[in-house]
């Protein structure tokens, strides 16, 4: 009996040893799988915008939707001069310009006004900037014809050229527009592509019956200059001596006195005032349009937007029905 007991003991010990080895192998496999799952989870987290600040900051929302661009595209800054308290109008215009895209040009739409003066502005405008990043606040007191336009143009070189990542020029063209104007961005870009990128002055010639851009000046509804003129405005003493008066007329006088804007383009009648009430500056809505001015009411805006069928790209969905 003794030999059998010894044999059984050895078998028991061997079985225990095999079982322990099996448990060790199983634990090693589970550890590998667990590490793999951890790494997979870390990888997945690193691809979400909430994992780290650098990824989150890359999700930039601009007024104009992102489009594919190349070094050959023209760069245009459209500054819409408005007032700090015009929150609803800015949100409305973000819809207007945020649903447009351009080919052959990058157009940045910014809202421009002077220093904030109210406590609610400091909160609400700051939230807008955090959300949209499409506001320029100038160091001036709010005004229409006492230097705001000059401050806008002359401040841009210092604002934009301090960033080493910005190309030169940061924009080929800079435009000033009113907040009661509907700009069709692709039409604007198409009209600029064949034009000179130096010493250019572009807009709707005043007086209304005139077609000669060298006689008077461009309407304040929206006029554009090349970047070299922006830099000239910053450095020249001519505008500094003559800031007050109708801003579009005064602007034309600066260029005349400084012998600037030798290349001029009259965008009439692709730019015009809303048809009603009819005047010598109005024009019926038509397809060859860059800008419509004097949209002072929502009804005028809606009629204009309907004419250009701005909702044609609305995708069908079971979530809504718009006849």
């Amino acid at each position: 009996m003794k030999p059998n007991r010894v044999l059984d003991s050895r078998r028991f010990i061997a079985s225990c040893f095999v079982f322990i080895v099996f448990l060790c192998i199983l634990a090693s496999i589970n550890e590998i799988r667990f590490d793999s799952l951890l790494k997979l989870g870390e990888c997945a987290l690193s691809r979400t915008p909430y994992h780290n600040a650098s990824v989150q900051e890359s999700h930039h929302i601009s007024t104009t939707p992102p489009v594919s661009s190349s070094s050959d595209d023209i760069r245009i800054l459209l500054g819409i001069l408005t007032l700090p308290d015009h929150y609803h109008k800015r949100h409305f215009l973000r819809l207007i310009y945020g649903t447009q895209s351009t080919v052959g040009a990058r157009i940045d739409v910014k809202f421009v006004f002077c220093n904030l003066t109210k406590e609610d502005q400091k909160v609400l405008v700051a939230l807008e900037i955090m959300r949209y990043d499409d506001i320029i606040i100038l160091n001036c007191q709010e005004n229409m014809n006492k230097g705001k336009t000059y401050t806008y143009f002359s401040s841009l070189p210092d604002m934009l050229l301090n960033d080493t990542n910005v190309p030169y020029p940061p924009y080929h063209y800079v435009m000033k527009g009113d907040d009661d104007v509907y700009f069709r961005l692709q039409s604007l870009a198409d009209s600029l592509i064949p034009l000179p990128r130096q010493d250019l002055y572009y807009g709707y010639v005043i007086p209304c019956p005139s077609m000669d851009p060298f006689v008077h000046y461009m309407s304040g509804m929206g006029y554009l200059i090349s970047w070299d003129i922006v830099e000239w405005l910053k450095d020249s003493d001519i505008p500094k001596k003559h800031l007050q008066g109708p801003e579009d007329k005064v602007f034309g006088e600066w260029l005349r006195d400084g012998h600037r804007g030798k290349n001029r383009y009259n965008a009439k009648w692709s730019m015009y005032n809303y048809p009603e009430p009819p005047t010598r500056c109005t024009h019926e809505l038509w397809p060859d349009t860059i800008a419509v001015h004097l949209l002072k009411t929502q009804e005028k805006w809606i009629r204009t937007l309907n004419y250009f069928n701005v909702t044609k790209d609305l995708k069908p969905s079971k979530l809504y029905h718009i006849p």
Side-chain angles (χ1 to χ4, degrees):
M1 295 296 293
K2 278 188 177 182
N4 290 334
R5 289 181 180 178
V6 171
L7 181 61
D8 290 341
S9 298
R10 290 177 178 175
R11 286 177 179 174
F12 177 74
I13 293 171
S15 299
C16 290
F17 178 76
V18 171
F19 182 69
I20 292 171
V21 170
F22 173 76
L23 289 178
C24 291
I25 294 172
L26 184 61
S28 298
I29 293 173
N30 287 336
E31 183 178 359
I32 292 171
R33 288 178 177 174
F34 183 71
D35 288 343
S36 298
L37 288 173
L38 282 178
K39 290 179 181 178
L40 180 62
E42 290 174 358
C43 180
L45 284 172
S46 68
R47 295 178 185 271
T48 65
Y50 306 104
H51 182 64
N52 57 58
S54 63
V55 176
Q56 188 172 9
E57 289 171 359
S58 70
H59 289 258
H60 172 69
I61 300 175
S62 60
T63 302
T64 304
V67 295
S68 57
S69 61
S70 71
S71 58
D72 295 330
D73 289 349
I74 56 173
R75 298 183 296 276
I76 306 163
L77 173 61
L78 171 54
I80 299 176
L81 271 62
T82 184
L83 298 174
D85 287 332
H86 286 185
Y87 303 106
H88 295 296
K89 179 165 286 188
R90 285 196 293 280
H91 292 323
F92 175 72
L93 292 176
R94 287 185 181 110
L95 291 177
I96 301 302
Y97 297 117
T99 51
Q100 297 188 50
S101 59
T102 54
V103 176
R106 170 190 164 184
I107 303 180
D108 292 340
V109 179
K110 304 284 187 180
F111 299 101
V112 182
F113 42 81
C114 291
N115 287 320
L116 307 181
T117 57
K118 304 176 184 176
E119 288 302 315
D120 62 323
Q121 293 173 352
K122 297 174 184 178
V123 175
L124 296 176
V125 172
L127 287 172
E128 284 186 88
I129 295 172
M130 293 168 63
R131 180 64 177 86
Y132 300 105
D133 191 24
D134 61 359
I135 287 175
I136 296 174
I137 302 178
L138 304 173
N139 185 19
C140 58
Q141 291 184 342
E142 198 58 60
N143 68 88
M144 179 183 295
N145 295 317
K146 295 183 180 180
K148 180 178 179 179
T149 298
Y150 168 74
T151 305
Y152 164 54
F153 283 108
S154 63
S155 298
L156 291 176
D158 287 339
M159 288 180 176
L160 299 175
L161 294 178
N162 289 333
D163 189 343
T164 57
N165 295 322
V166 172
Y168 184 85
Y171 295 99
H172 298 108
Y173 306 112
V174 177
M175 191 169 200
K176 173 264 173 185
D178 287 345
D179 61 7
D180 62 348
V181 178
Y182 171 53
F183 290 99
R184 301 180 71 218
L185 301 183
Q186 186 63 60
S187 297
L188 173 64
D190 291 342
S191 70
L192 289 168
I193 287 172
L195 298 184
R197 295 188 180 181
Q198 296 287 322
D199 207 24
L200 180 70
Y201 182 34
Y202 169 113
Y204 173 100
V205 174
I206 295 294
C208 294
S210 174
M211 296 299 289
D212 186 351
F214 291 93
V215 174
H216 294 286
Y217 57 94
M218 305 298 184
S219 165
M221 74 165 82
Y223 51 85
L224 173 148
I225 55 175
S226 52
W227 182 258
D228 57 299
I229 297 182
V230 173
E231 292 187 322
W232 172 80
L233 286 170
K234 173 184 178 294
D235 297 329
S236 174
D237 290 331
I238 291 175
K240 298 173 185 175
K241 297 175 181 178
H242 181 24
L243 293 176
Q244 298 198 19
E247 57 90 15
D248 48 3
K249 182 174 183 291
V250 169
F251 192 94
E253 292 171 351
W254 296 339
L255 299 190
R256 180 199 64 203
D257 296 343
H259 305 287
R260 298 286 169 162
K262 293 183 176 62
N263 298 311
R264 301 198 175 195
Y265 183 84
N266 177 21
K268 192 183 295 182
W269 286 96
S270 292
M271 298 175 71
Y272 50 90
N273 287 351
Y274 186 80
E276 297 171 2
T279 68
R280 292 189 298 174
C281 298
T282 59
H283 191 291
E284 286 300 317
L285 298 174
W286 66 343
D288 186 21
T289 293
I290 293 172
V292 183
H293 185 215
L294 295 181
L295 300 178
K296 299 292 188 182
T297 65
Q298 181 167 304
E299 290 73 20
K300 291 181 178 181
W301 271 104
I302 296 304
R303 180 184 167 188
T304 301
L305 297 173
N306 273 332
Y307 177 85
F308 293 108
N309 195 17
V310 298
T311 60
K312 64 181 182 299
D313 294 326
L314 178 67
K315 296 179 180 179
S317 172
K318 294 181 180 179
L319 298 176
Y320 50 76
H321 172 67
I322 300 179

